[in-house]
Amino acid sequence: MLFQIIATLIWASAFIAAKYTYEMMDPVLMVQCRFFIASIIMLPGFFAAYKRVPKERLKIMWLLALINFPLMFLLQFIGLYFTSAASAVTMLGMIPLLTVLIGFLFFKRRINKIDLLLSLVALAGIILTVVGGGEDNLINPWGCLLVLGSAVSFCFCLYLSKDVMQEMAPKDYTNVLVILGSILCLPFTCVLVRDWSIVPSVKGMISLFYLGIGCTWLAVVLWFKGGQKTPTYISSILTTLEPIFGVILAILILDERLSAVSAMGILLTLGAAAVSVLIPVLMKKSP
């Protein structure tokens, strides 16, 4: 479990590191550089891993790479550029509820009244988060919407990747996905980068390599290593800690200040998401 807690902390700090990289480069260029750094580490094992992908799954792997990387990460970090780290990570806190809603709307999964109620509570929390941040312009509605869009992309990938992940080792799956995603991101980078200039700084370079190595490679390795000895229900609970850690780090490291209204909105959103994860866990544990 310790490995998964460390992985959660690393992922929670990604938005903090990204804010420092924005001081030296365009957010889209940062995403491409991050993938490039991660790809260097994973390239030696890529070709062998790619050969182990079942032939009937190759098309879906390319699709997953497209949705997971250019689409999800660009939406996420372009959105972060416009809004605060605390509000951005709160949007990602919606993932447990969005997973349920997307499963119901697009994959014929059942949904219960509690999930619908929690979704409304979370939506109210998002509205309060954005409205409460309007006075100091730290929280931007457009930025929040883009990050929320990245969360939707991630949820679609959860369903689309289910069969593939059952047939592939986690290490091979991650390796292939990162390399293919790096390749597919190139056309988006060429079109979307607004400023190609780079103003190097020690803080920015450390943050960039932290994103490329720590958040893209090391955290994944730690998560799967910890998952070997951690019960699934514990892992699901740990995922709810990421946005909570992210908000705390944004306040402590970036010195972001939240209005009372925004703080209430964040608590509602993260609380609703946490309850949505805890209820099924508690129901399975009860005799």
PDB file of all heavy atoms in Angstrom, residues 266-280:
ATOM      1  N   ILE A 266     -15.226  22.977  -3.528  1.00  0.00           N
ATOM      2  CA  ILE A 266     -14.233  21.907  -3.607  1.00  0.00           C
ATOM      3  C   ILE A 266     -14.577  20.776  -2.639  1.00  0.00           C
ATOM      4  O   ILE A 266     -14.491  19.591  -2.976  1.00  0.00           O
ATOM      5  CB  ILE A 266     -12.827  22.468  -3.322  1.00  0.00           C
ATOM      6  CG1 ILE A 266     -12.371  23.344  -4.496  1.00  0.00           C
ATOM      7  CG2 ILE A 266     -11.822  21.349  -3.066  1.00  0.00           C
ATOM      8  CD1 ILE A 266     -11.071  24.072  -4.260  1.00  0.00           C
ATOM      9  N   LEU A 267     -14.984  21.141  -1.433  1.00  0.00           N
ATOM     10  CA  LEU A 267     -15.365  20.128  -0.443  1.00  0.00           C
ATOM     11  C   LEU A 267     -16.565  19.314  -0.908  1.00  0.00           C
ATOM     12  O   LEU A 267     -16.595  18.085  -0.747  1.00  0.00           O
ATOM     13  CB  LEU A 267     -15.680  20.806   0.897  1.00  0.00           C
ATOM     14  CG  LEU A 267     -14.479  21.338   1.693  1.00  0.00           C
ATOM     15  CD1 LEU A 267     -14.948  22.109   2.913  1.00  0.00           C
ATOM     16  CD2 LEU A 267     -13.556  20.193   2.106  1.00  0.00           C
ATOM     17  N   LEU A 268     -17.543  19.976  -1.507  1.00  0.00           N
ATOM     18  CA  LEU A 268     -18.725  19.265  -2.012  1.00  0.00           C
ATOM     19  C   LEU A 268     -18.353  18.301  -3.132  1.00  0.00           C
ATOM     20  O   LEU A 268     -18.794  17.151  -3.152  1.00  0.00           O
ATOM     21  CB  LEU A 268     -19.774  20.270  -2.516  1.00  0.00           C
ATOM     22  CG  LEU A 268     -20.641  20.970  -1.475  1.00  0.00           C
ATOM     23  CD1 LEU A 268     -21.541  22.002  -2.151  1.00  0.00           C
ATOM     24  CD2 LEU A 268     -21.493  19.959  -0.723  1.00  0.00           C
ATOM     25  N   THR A 269     -17.533  18.780  -4.071  1.00  0.00           N
ATOM     26  CA  THR A 269     -17.154  17.950  -5.216  1.00  0.00           C
ATOM     27  C   THR A 269     -16.341  16.742  -4.788  1.00  0.00           C
ATOM     28  O   THR A 269     -16.648  15.601  -5.161  1.00  0.00           O
ATOM     29  CB  THR A 269     -16.341  18.781  -6.232  1.00  0.00           C
ATOM     30  OG1 THR A 269     -17.111  19.923  -6.632  1.00  0.00           O
ATOM     31  CG2 THR A 269     -16.010  17.955  -7.462  1.00  0.00           C
ATOM     32  N   LEU A 270     -15.290  16.983  -4.001  1.00  0.00           N
ATOM     33  CA  LEU A 270     -14.431  15.884  -3.569  1.00  0.00           C
ATOM     34  C   LEU A 270     -15.161  14.953  -2.601  1.00  0.00           C
ATOM     35  O   LEU A 270     -14.959  13.736  -2.630  1.00  0.00           O
ATOM     36  CB  LEU A 270     -13.161  16.431  -2.920  1.00  0.00           C
ATOM     37  CG  LEU A 270     -12.263  17.289  -3.821  1.00  0.00           C
ATOM     38  CD1 LEU A 270     -10.988  17.679  -3.082  1.00  0.00           C
ATOM     39  CD2 LEU A 270     -11.917  16.556  -5.104  1.00  0.00           C
ATOM     40  N   GLY A 271     -16.017  15.525  -1.761  1.00  0.00           N
ATOM     41  CA  GLY A 271     -16.792  14.706  -0.823  1.00  0.00           C
ATOM     42  C   GLY A 271     -17.750  13.776  -1.550  1.00  0.00           C
ATOM     43  O   GLY A 271     -17.852  12.588  -1.216  1.00  0.00           O
ATOM     44  N   ALA A 272     -18.434  14.302  -2.570  1.00  0.00           N
ATOM     45  CA  ALA A 272     -19.362  13.473  -3.348  1.00  0.00           C
ATOM     46  C   ALA A 272     -18.622  12.350  -4.064  1.00  0.00           C
ATOM     47  O   ALA A 272     -19.081  11.206  -4.112  1.00  0.00           O
ATOM     48  CB  ALA A 272     -20.113  14.341  -4.361  1.00  0.00           C
ATOM     49  N   ALA A 273     -17.457  12.676  -4.627  1.00  0.00           N
ATOM     50  CA  ALA A 273     -16.661  11.663  -5.330  1.00  0.00           C
ATOM     51  C   ALA A 273     -16.174  10.585  -4.358  1.00  0.00           C
ATOM     52  O   ALA A 273     -16.201   9.383  -4.673  1.00  0.00           O
ATOM     53  CB  ALA A 273     -15.479  12.321  -6.023  1.00  0.00           C
ATOM     54  N   ALA A 274     -15.730  11.011  -3.177  1.00  0.00           N
ATOM     55  CA  ALA A 274     -15.234  10.050  -2.185  1.00  0.00           C
ATOM     56  C   ALA A 274     -16.345   9.107  -1.718  1.00  0.00           C
ATOM     57  O   ALA A 274     -16.148   7.894  -1.605  1.00  0.00           O
ATOM     58  CB  ALA A 274     -14.642  10.800  -0.997  1.00  0.00           C
ATOM     59  N   VAL A 275     -17.520   9.668  -1.487  1.00  0.00           N
ATOM     60  CA  VAL A 275     -18.652   8.848  -1.047  1.00  0.00           C
ATOM     61  C   VAL A 275     -19.041   7.838  -2.123  1.00  0.00           C
ATOM     62  O   VAL A 275     -19.372   6.682  -1.833  1.00  0.00           O
ATOM     63  CB  VAL A 275     -19.865   9.741  -0.689  1.00  0.00           C
ATOM     64  CG1 VAL A 275     -21.111   8.897  -0.453  1.00  0.00           C
ATOM     65  CG2 VAL A 275     -19.561  10.575   0.551  1.00  0.00           C
ATOM     66  N   SER A 276     -18.979   8.262  -3.389  1.00  0.00           N
ATOM     67  CA  SER A 276     -19.339   7.356  -4.491  1.00  0.00           C
ATOM     68  C   SER A 276     -18.409   6.156  -4.560  1.00  0.00           C
ATOM     69  O   SER A 276     -18.801   5.073  -4.997  1.00  0.00           O
ATOM     70  CB  SER A 276     -19.318   8.110  -5.829  1.00  0.00           C
ATOM     71  OG  SER A 276     -17.994   8.394  -6.238  1.00  0.00           O
ATOM     72  N   VAL A 277     -17.153   6.335  -4.140  1.00  0.00           N
ATOM     73  CA  VAL A 277     -16.196   5.229  -4.119  1.00  0.00           C
ATOM     74  C   VAL A 277     -16.363   4.387  -2.862  1.00  0.00           C
ATOM     75  O   VAL A 277     -16.293   3.156  -2.905  1.00  0.00           O
ATOM     76  CB  VAL A 277     -14.742   5.765  -4.202  1.00  0.00           C
ATOM     77  CG1 VAL A 277     -13.734   4.638  -4.010  1.00  0.00           C
ATOM     78  CG2 VAL A 277     -14.510   6.438  -5.541  1.00  0.00           C
ATOM     79  N   LEU A 278     -16.612   5.041  -1.739  1.00  0.00           N
ATOM     80  CA  LEU A 278     -16.668   4.334  -0.462  1.00  0.00           C
ATOM     81  C   LEU A 278     -17.915   3.469  -0.305  1.00  0.00           C
ATOM     82  O   LEU A 278     -17.862   2.394   0.305  1.00  0.00           O
ATOM     83  CB  LEU A 278     -16.612   5.350   0.686  1.00  0.00           C
ATOM     84  CG  LEU A 278     -15.261   6.047   0.903  1.00  0.00           C
ATOM     85  CD1 LEU A 278     -15.387   7.151   1.925  1.00  0.00           C
ATOM     86  CD2 LEU A 278     -14.212   5.020   1.332  1.00  0.00           C
ATOM     87  N   ILE A 279     -19.048   3.916  -0.853  1.00  0.00           N
ATOM     88  CA  ILE A 279     -20.297   3.168  -0.673  1.00  0.00           C
ATOM     89  C   ILE A 279     -20.195   1.728  -1.200  1.00  0.00           C
ATOM     90  O   ILE A 279     -20.500   0.779  -0.471  1.00  0.00           O
ATOM     91  CB  ILE A 279     -21.482   3.916  -1.325  1.00  0.00           C
ATOM     92  CG1 ILE A 279     -21.861   5.126  -0.466  1.00  0.00           C
ATOM     93  CG2 ILE A 279     -22.689   2.990  -1.493  1.00  0.00           C
ATOM     94  CD1 ILE A 279     -22.975   5.951  -1.032  1.00  0.00           C
ATOM     95  N   PRO A 280     -19.778   1.524  -2.465  1.00  0.00           N
ATOM     96  CA  PRO A 280     -19.653   0.138  -2.931  1.00  0.00           C
ATOM     97  C   PRO A 280     -18.621  -0.679  -2.162  1.00  0.00           C
ATOM     98  O   PRO A 280     -18.792  -1.880  -1.955  1.00  0.00           O
ATOM     99  CB  PRO A 280     -19.248   0.272  -4.410  1.00  0.00           C
ATOM    100  CG  PRO A 280     -19.001   1.701  -4.674  1.00  0.00           C
ATOM    101  CD  PRO A 280     -19.489   2.488  -3.530  1.00  0.00           C
TER     102      PRO A 280
END
